[in-house]
């Protein structure tokens, strides 16, 4: 398959990253099918995509006409057979659990055309963990996006069984989306940036979970020393606390590390009471005007 053969892209999962990747593909002229478990979930996702698109218009990154065209490129499907019809490329953004991802890929392997290339947007897992379950391991690789609202960096990470021409195709596809590609030479949990970021976030969680410092003071310390506009807890709100919890809990279960377990339990308190971060306007901070955005946040004392 050549880059020009990719016309129809299937997005598995309509959460925050599925919405962003779907919108990015649609804005670049691809026909996009957004798949999730119910029409209700999908309709909510479509509203969020349109809201995000309006933000792109307000920042002059696209025109109103381009937004309108992009939205017409997006279809919704809660039926797997309908979603898989005539698909050339899959981007998966399901929960960070290899068993969930493996089951989804195995199902769509039976439904999608044999030409279709499968990719995962996983943040912490490596593709070899479930490559065989895809049914087409040679046509499978990781294509990991960051927040498309703020950057255009992506990671391409093949596993040992990924065909070389598929690696190049995935890279070409990402570049055609206007992304700067970071090519990984070997599998690494967390890719490049997330490997560094996870150390920061886990350290921040430990400081608060162990009662060393408050959420606000941890962020003040990072923002003040590094001259950053956001701290680790603000970053976690942007990622989404359900995702932060899922990733932390998974690693706690795999490693048995007591501090990681404590970090996961701390985040779960917020998830259990529906504080999911920026996506629903309340997490470690309240939105749309979080405390850390105040000009005097760093100097403020409580």
């Amino acid at each position: 398959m050549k880059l020009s053969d990719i016309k129809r892209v299937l997005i598995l999962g309509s959460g925050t990253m599925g919405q962003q990747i779907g919108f990015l593909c649609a804005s670049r002229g691809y026909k996009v099918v957004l798949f999730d478990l119910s029409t209700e979930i999908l309709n909510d996702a479509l509203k969020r995509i349109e809201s995000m698109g309006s933000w792109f218009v307000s920042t002059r990154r696209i025109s109103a006409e381009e937004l309108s065209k992009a939205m017409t490129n997006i279809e919704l499907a809660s039926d797997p057979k309908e979603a898989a019809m005539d698909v050339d490329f899959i981007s998966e953004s399901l929960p960070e659990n290899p068993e969930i991802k493996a089951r989804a890929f195995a199902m769509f392997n039976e439904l999608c055309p044999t030409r279709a290339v499968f990719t995962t947007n996983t943040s912490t897992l490596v593709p070899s963990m479930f490559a065989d379950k895809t049914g087409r391991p040679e046509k499978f690789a990781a294509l990991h996006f960051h927040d498309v609202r703020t950057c255009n960096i992506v990671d391409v990470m093949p596993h040992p069984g990924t065909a070389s021409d598929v690696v190049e195709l995935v890279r070409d596809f990402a570049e055609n989306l206007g992304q700067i590609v970071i090519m990984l030479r070997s599998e690494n949990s967390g890719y490049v940036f997330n490997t560094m970021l996870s150390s920061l976030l886990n350290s921040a969680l430990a400081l608060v979970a162990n009662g060393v410092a408050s959420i606000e003071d941890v962020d003040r310390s990072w923002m003040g020393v590094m001259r950053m506009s956001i701290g680790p807890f603000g970053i976690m709100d942007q990622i989404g606390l359900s995702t932060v919890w899922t990733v932390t809990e998974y690693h706690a279960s795999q490693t048995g590390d007591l501090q990681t377990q404590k970090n996961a339990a701390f985040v779960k308190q917020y998830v259990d009471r529906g504080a999911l971060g920026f996506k629903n306007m309340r997490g470690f901070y309240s939105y749309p005007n979080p405390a850390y955005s105040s000009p005097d946040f760093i100097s403020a004392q409580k």
Side-chain angles (χ1 to χ4, degrees):
M1 182 186 289
K2 304 185 298 294
L3 177 63
S4 59
D5 295 324
I6 300 176
K7 308 290 186 185
R8 191 172 177 85
V9 177
L10 172 58
I11 308 295
L12 298 184
S14 65
T16 300
M17 287 310 303
Q19 294 166 25
Q20 292 191 13
I21 298 167
F23 176 73
L24 180 62
C25 292
S27 68
R28 290 284 171 159
Y30 290 102
K31 297 296 182 182
V32 170
V33 183
L34 194 63
F35 172 81
D36 217 311
L37 298 176
S38 73
T39 301
E40 182 181 6
I41 293 172
L42 288 166
N43 286 336
D44 182 63
L46 191 64
K47 291 177 183 176
R48 292 177 182 274
I49 290 173
E50 189 155 24
S51 177
M52 176 174 56
S54 297
W55 178 83
F56 274 88
V57 172
S58 71
T59 57
R60 300 181 183 276
R61 291 172 62 180
I62 62 172
S63 67
E65 292 74 21
E66 288 170 328
L67 171 58
S68 178
K69 186 174 181 180
M71 295 305 296
T72 64
N73 284 336
I74 300 174
E75 301 175 20
L76 306 179
S78 57
D79 177 77
K81 291 182 181 179
E82 179 186 341
M85 192 176 300
D86 206 28
V87 163
D88 304 305
F89 196 97
I90 284 182
S91 173
E92 169 271 318
S93 290
L94 297 173
E96 288 288 273
N97 182 308
E99 294 180 1
I100 293 174
K101 294 177 185 294
R103 286 198 300 270
F105 277 123
M107 177 176 67
F108 279 98
N109 177 56
E110 297 295 324
L111 299 173
C112 289
T114 57
R115 67 177 183 275
V117 169
F118 288 7
T119 66
T120 176
N121 183 54
T122 175
S123 298
T124 57
L125 307 176
V126 295
S128 61
M129 295 175 71
F130 46 96
D132 287 344
K133 299 293 178 64
T134 67
R136 55 186 81 193
E138 75 287 352
K139 294 181 180 178
F140 177 62
L143 173 56
H144 172 249
F145 292 78
H146 296 275
D147 189 332
V148 304
R149 298 167 300 178
T150 58
C151 79
N152 63 336
I153 298 290
V154 299
D155 303 282
V156 172
M157 181 166 66
H159 65 93
T162 309
S164 58
D165 61 326
V166 171
V167 177
E168 290 305 310
L169 179 61
V170 172
R171 178 177 189 155
D172 290 346
F173 176 76
E175 290 179 341
N176 198 47
L177 293 177
Q179 304 301 291
I180 297 169
V181 177
I182 307 298
M183 289 294 304
L184 274 80
R185 299 175 180 179
S186 64
E187 288 187 307
N188 183 67
S189 175
Y191 304 87
V192 176
F193 177 78
N194 277 5
T195 296
M196 298 183 284
L197 179 65
S198 63
S199 296
L200 169 65
L201 301 187
N202 286 329
S203 296
L205 285 170
L207 286 168
V208 176
N210 292 334
V212 176
S214 68
I215 288 171
E216 293 80 8
D217 278 349
V218 169
D219 278 359
R220 285 189 186 97
S221 178
W222 180 261
M223 293 165 65
V225 174
M226 297 302 294
R227 295 291 186 260
M228 296 290 193
S229 62
I230 191 170
F233 284 92
I235 291 171
M236 284 186 272
D237 271 353
Q238 297 298 317
I239 294 170
L241 300 193
S242 58
T243 297
V244 173
W245 174 74
T246 301
V247 171
T248 309
E249 174 67 18
Y250 175 77
H251 282 283
S253 69
Q254 294 298 301
T255 64
D257 179 70
L258 294 179
Q259 185 60 61
T260 307
Q261 292 175 8
K262 195 170 184 178
N263 291 352
F266 176 77
V267 179
K268 192 172 188 297
Q269 298 175 69
Y270 288 81
V271 175
D272 284 348
R273 59 176 181 257
L276 304 180
F278 179 77
K279 67 189 295 181
N280 72 339
M281 309 305 279
R282 59 193 182 98
F284 294 125
Y285 294 94
S286 296
Y287 297 84
N289 300 305
Y292 62 77
S293 66
S294 172
D296 63 352
F297 174 72
I298 294 176
S299 61
Q301 295 295 319
K302 289 186 178 180

